Amino acid sequence: MTDHELIQDVRERIMKARKLVFLTGAGISAESGIPTFRGEGGLWRSYRAMDLATPQAFSRDPVLVWEFYLWRRRLISGCRPNPAHEAIARFERSKPVLIITQNIDGLHQKAGSKEVLEIHGSIWRSRCVRCGRRRHDERLEMELPPLCDLCGGLERPDVVWFGESLDEVILRAALDALRSAEVLLVVGTSGVVEPAASFGRFAASHGAYVVEVNLERTAQSPYYACTILGKAGEVLPQLLSLEES
Ligand code: BV8
Ligand code: ZN
């Protein structure tokens, strides 16, 4: 099959499905200017995840960890959704869409998507480690470390660090959607961080037609129906446009 035929075939499957499910990763936000984690220029090439994105790192040095997340907040605050986020949000007006995202940047919602499961949390929320209170938090500068104004406890970014479990309710909702998906699009993720890495395979084993969109093949590609190589910002508008190309 040529690339064009493959895209047409996937488009037809998308148009026939009652609902579309997406699993997205850092690659979908790369064209917005947000660095990915593992590729060229990736965050974990310059920073050690274990020093910054674990509960142990936060216990050891909450100020350092907060500085890292504030730096990322400032970076993300200057970035806009790109044609990939926008194509999904536009498509959502014609058919139900659920997005399961590993990203903490909030760009899907900013593009207008409504059903977004943020399985690794959000950089735009803080959570008190003592009383558990979560709050929307868009501050780009603050006295560090921030303290909860209800109980005086230490506040942390409301993201899921390595070694922490995903929120049970969100995980259950994601697994339900994957179990019943007809078509799943896995966009811009290297497929190495569990449990999200196994989501595509899980959906495929329950009958979903799984399409990967990535610059390169990944460790998960062999389990999917097909891989479309290309930039998310170029491929998704083609796959999701309502007019024939
Ligand atoms: C857990 C949030 C239960 C905060 C992140 C089983 C086996 C082995 C290890 C484990 C296992 N189960 C659990 C583990 C441990 C660990 C894990 O998976 N480790 C791996 C690395 C081996 N998992 C966990 O700890 C998880 N918790 O399982 O709980 C438990 C608890 C205790 C003990 C055991 C089990 C929690 C993981 C959550 C980690 N939090 N971040 C933050 O961001 O600061 S993960 C981090 O990676 C990112 O945040 C991101 O969310 C995630 C995934 O990365 P990707 O999105 O895929 O990004 P990446 O850079 O890797 O890839 C980008 C891709 O895009 C590339 O493929 C590239 O080609 C492509 N691309 C680039 N540009 C484009 C593009 N594609 C298209 N278009 C483009 N323009
Ligand atoms: Zn508190």
Side-chain angles (χ1 to χ4, degrees):
M1 227 190 265
T2 65
D3 284 356
H4 184 256
E5 283 166 347
L6 176 59
I7 287 189
Q8 290 312 318
D9 178 61
V10 173
R11 274 195 75 222
E12 275 170 34
R13 290 173 188 273
I14 289 173
M15 299 307 157
K16 279 193 201 133
R18 275 160 301 176
K19 179 171 182 168
L20 207 50
V21 182
F22 289 85
L23 170 65
T24 64
I28 197 166
S29 294
E31 290 159 74
S32 292
I34 300 176
T36 61
F37 295 90
R38 295 172 186 79
E40 202 181 308
L43 284 181
W44 302 148
R45 293 276 176 102
S46 330
Y47 302 94
R48 282 161 41 113
M50 294 307 140
D51 292 344
L52 295 163
T54 62
Q56 293 77 11
F58 189 71
S59 309
R60 207 181 311 126
D61 196 342
V63 171
L64 176 76
V65 171
W66 262 113
E67 277 167 351
F68 175 62
Y69 281 92
L70 281 184
W71 169 71
R72 286 173 64 194
R73 271 193 194 173
R74 288 192 286 267
L75 197 155
I76 293 167
S77 72
C79 296
R80 310 278 324 145
N82 67 55
H85 301 102
E86 285 161 359
I88 300 177
R90 209 177 310 117
F91 188 79
E92 207 172 302
R93 292 190 220 132
S94 64
K95 196 178 284 217
V97 165
L98 175 79
I99 302 169
I100 302 167
T101 188
Q102 299 169 81
N103 300 343
I104 60 174
D105 57 32
L107 288 186
H108 284 298
Q109 293 92 327
K110 215 168 182 182
S113 286
K114 298 282 181 256
E115 265 206 86
V116 185
L117 296 175
E118 294 179 307
I119 60 169
H120 290 162
S122 170
I123 198 165
W124 303 115
R125 275 196 318 267
S126 301
R127 185 171 92 229
C128 173
V129 298
R130 190 186 289 165
C131 73
R133 199 261 307 238
R134 289 188 157 89
R135 64 176 179 130
H136 186 75
D137 183 359
E138 291 201 0
R139 288 174 297 176
L140 302 179
E141 309 280 348
M142 59 172 117
E143 204 174 306
L144 294 177
L147 301 177
C148 174
D149 49 19
L150 290 183
C151 77
L154 196 56
E155 281 188 304
R156 56 167 281 179
D158 193 18
V159 300
V160 180
W161 283 322
F162 289 100
E164 292 186 314
S165 299
L166 277 59
D167 180 278
E168 246 176 71
V169 174
I170 295 179
L171 180 60
R172 194 168 317 123
L175 294 177
D176 285 347
L178 294 164
R179 219 179 273 117
S180 58
E182 293 163 66
V183 177
L184 171 72
L185 280 110
V186 179
V187 186
T189 176
S190 57
V192 298
V193 175
E194 296 293 353
S198 303
F199 283 1
R201 228 184 308 168
F202 178 79
S205 74
H206 285 85
Y209 185 86
V210 183
V211 180
E212 179 176 54
V213 178
N214 202 304
L215 295 181
E216 57 191 25
R217 288 178 65 81
T218 69
Q220 306 300 328
S221 306
Y223 304 101
Y224 300 156
C226 63
T227 297
I228 300 176
L229 295 175
K231 290 184 174 180
E234 292 169 8
V235 175
L236 288 194
Q238 290 180 53
L239 286 180
L240 301 175
S241 77
L242 301 173
E243 298 97 51
E244 288 282 336
S245 59

